[in-house]
Amino acid sequence: MSLTPEEVRAPARDAVVFRSSRARTFVVVFAVLMGAYLVVSPLVDWITGSAGDPWWAILLQGALIGAGFAGAYALSARAALTTWVRVSSAGLELASQESDPILLDWGDIVAVVFRRDGLRTVLEVLPAGMDSVHPVQGGATGGPALADTPRGPVFTADLTQIWPSPRALRREIARRTRGEKRG
């Protein structure tokens, strides 16, 4: 079990935490399924030539189907993997998918890249060297996942379920690194 941000002392007073949220996952999946159901249901009625259900029945069916599937996904093992990123003047802390958290000082980060991988938003953090990575607290799980890139090994984190949002995290990192090139 990875540590929560509350269990780890913030490296600076101005720290801002971004974390995965089951509630946000539920809302997003529910909204997508509800929208799809409301668009497809009248099309199916038109193609089949049926008189169709009243609007309230379509809405109720969509809500039940959306809530069922969104609830199942929000409670699934995939959604249960916690990810958090804490940004402060001291640097960037990262714990992704049940890993132990690490801290990288801003001067030890070569690049921070946000990229899309299908429907997912992925954060890649390229450290200046693996010796510049500071474990926040000792643990048995190990640090966040590493991926090999042409630029070197990068720490990765799936930000799809992060709250407030990947866009807000990008803005916060840009604010902290303004004036420096970060990839």
Side-chain angles (χ1 to χ4, degrees):
M1 181 82 184
S2 89
L3 299 169
T4 64
E6 294 79 23
E7 296 175 301
V8 177
R9 191 174 68 100
R13 292 181 146 200
D14 62 346
V16 179
V17 177
F18 298 82
R19 68 177 78 214
S20 57
S21 165
R22 284 187 184 201
R24 180 175 189 260
T25 300
F26 175 85
V27 169
V28 169
V29 172
F30 176 79
V32 167
L33 291 174
M34 188 72 173
Y37 192 83
L38 292 176
V39 168
V40 170
S41 186
L43 289 174
V44 169
D45 286 343
W46 180 72
I47 290 170
T48 61
S50 66
D53 293 325
W55 67 269
W56 57 267
I58 293 172
L59 193 64
L60 181 62
Q61 290 170 0
L64 290 173
I65 291 169
F69 280 102
Y73 183 76
L75 296 175
S76 72
R78 171 72 182 96
L81 297 176
T82 57
T83 295
W84 58 271
V85 180
R86 185 162 38 199
V87 181
S88 68
S89 57
L92 182 113
E93 286 179 283
L94 176 65
S96 65
Q97 287 80 26
E98 296 293 321
S99 73
D100 291 328
I102 59 164
L103 170 65
L104 287 160
D105 297 330
W106 290 117
D108 295 331
I109 298 174
V110 174
V112 176
V113 177
F114 290 81
R115 66 175 175 81
R116 299 292 295 177
D117 183 12
L119 295 175
R120 301 179 325 138
T121 302
V122 178
L123 172 69
E124 293 180 345
V125 181
L126 176 63
M130 293 310 284
D131 56 338
S132 65
V133 177
H134 309 288
V136 174
Q137 284 180 282
T141 309
L146 280 170
D148 288 324
T149 66
R151 299 171 82 180
V154 296
F155 290 103
T156 62
D158 182 355
L159 301 179
T160 306
Q161 300 173 28
I162 208 110
W163 184 252
S165 72
R167 194 171 294 148
L169 176 60
R170 180 183 309 204
R171 282 192 305 267
E172 186 66 25
I173 289 174
R175 186 175 75 81
R176 303 287 179 167
T177 59
R178 193 164 286 131
E180 299 175 35
K181 189 171 182 176
R182 292 283 177 216

